[in-house]
Amino acid sequence: MNSSIKLEPRVAAILGALVGDAASLGLHWLYDSERIAQIEESKGLVFLRPDASDYAGVSGYFAHGNKQAGDSSAYGELCLLMLRHIARHGKFYRVDYQSEYRSYFGPGGGYQGYIDSPSRLTLQTLLPLKPEDFPLQSGADDDQFAALAALPAIVAIHDESQDALNAKIEQAVRLTNNNDTAVAAAQYAGCVLLAVLNGQPVQQALASSLPHAGEKLRPLLEVALQVKTLDCVAVAKRFGNACHVPQGLPVIAHIVQHAPDYRTAIEENIRIGGDSCGRSIMLGAIMAAYTAQQNGGNSIPLEWLGRLRSLKVAADACAQLSSQ
């Protein structure tokens, strides 16, 4: 029996991001679609324990040998870090967040796992400095998907203008990804999520947010949105399935436009391969928020929520936000 739990759309957006990331972890950075299909037939597709043998002899990078089924990738950890930051402080404070980022991802911190290039370079900037000397733009010149990972909580609590949201997103993104394309991708994805949370139909949200995507990304998104039916294989072949936002953002838009529900969206994203976790944060947030709006709060499969190992931490933080 497929069942889902009723969630307020803003809570659904946050949990949808975290669940989508954890569901994708077991096959993250596996680039061979045929191997993914074989694994799905034999072991399933979601919430798999990372297994090096799944990557043997095919294109892929095995990065999560120390992870268990239901764990978060570094993207999910970033998403949860921002959620806990906002729940603790009531809003986003740059220097406090940079300090928390350094403490958690840096030497001796609680994070255990793969550190990607933008994260490593961000830490190199922050580690030697006192908090009062942290720069406004501490991130790497890099357009990978870490740029979108902290967005769900930022958008979920936003109650100001679109321009104010874009400014807040830019400030947050440049802490890890000091790159114009990364900022534009985050602003587009954030605008889509906010529009959905404000009640817009998802196709309207995807189209009305295009002016925020910038000159580089907007033509790519327009091409992706012209595809009439769900065809993730063709779209991924057209744009790519690696870690950079010009590749993954059109794929996200395509899936959001056509997937009938949250489960289908996350599963199709995993089948594409590559940086499935990177795409899953905003894909999961938007799809969970939209389906919660459409279905009276029903969105994320209940059995998937139960497999998220950070669920209690995330749920407590969401409850803290709701009480503020």
Side-chain angles (χ1 to χ4, degrees), residues 51-282:
D51 184 347
S53 66
D54 291 336
Y55 294 70
V58 296
S59 178
Y61 179 72
F62 182 66
H64 304 304
N66 65 335
K67 298 283 189 179
Q68 304 295 316
D71 277 340
S72 300
S73 74
Y75 302 118
E77 297 276 9
L78 268 172
C79 183
L80 188 59
L81 184 71
M82 181 61 79
L83 170 63
R84 296 178 72 183
H85 168 83
I86 293 177
R88 182 182 303 113
H89 299 286
K91 59 186 291 188
F92 172 63
Y93 290 99
R94 175 183 65 83
V95 174
D96 289 313
Y97 179 74
Q98 286 172 304
S99 297
E100 293 160 14
Y101 179 97
R102 181 177 71 173
S103 295
Y104 187 65
F105 287 100
Y111 176 71
Q112 295 183 349
Y114 178 78
I115 296 287
D116 62 11
S117 175
S119 301
R120 185 175 65 254
L121 293 173
T122 300
L123 288 170
Q124 287 177 4
T125 297
L126 295 176
L127 284 171
L129 301 177
K130 297 178 180 179
E132 57 266 29
D133 297 324
F134 287 162
L136 290 170
Q137 300 175 347
S138 54
D141 183 6
D142 190 293
D143 67 359
Q144 295 185 60
F145 265 104
L148 275 60
L151 292 184
I154 292 174
V155 179
I157 67 160
H158 185 74
D159 58 0
E160 303 172 73
S161 68
Q162 187 70 69
D163 289 342
L165 176 61
N166 280 344
K168 190 179 298 182
I169 287 174
E170 178 166 9
Q171 183 183 35
V173 169
R174 291 195 186 276
L175 300 185
T176 57
N177 296 72
N178 189 18
N179 176 276
D180 290 345
T181 302
V183 169
Q187 289 176 334
Y188 174 76
C191 290
V192 173
L193 177 57
L194 183 65
V196 167
L197 289 171
N198 287 338
Q200 278 193 23
V202 72
Q203 292 196 3
Q204 181 182 344
L206 291 166
S208 66
S209 300
L210 284 171
H212 301 281
E215 294 182 359
K216 181 175 181 178
L217 294 173
R218 180 168 181 168
L220 303 178
L221 290 163
E222 288 174 339
V223 170
L225 293 175
Q226 289 171 4
V227 180
K228 300 301 183 184
T229 58
L230 186 64
D231 190 350
C232 294
V233 172
V235 171
K237 185 176 181 180
R238 166 67 176 81
F239 295 102
N241 60 352
C243 307
H244 300 277
V245 292
Q247 298 172 307
L249 193 64
V251 174
I252 293 172
H254 170 72
I255 297 175
V256 167
Q257 184 178 32
H258 295 295
D261 52 52
Y262 178 88
R263 181 191 296 269
T264 300
I266 297 302
E267 290 178 341
E268 286 298 310
N269 179 54
I270 296 170
R271 292 185 183 107
I272 290 169
D275 194 8
S276 50
C277 286
R279 297 187 302 265
S280 72
I281 296 291
M282 289 308 294

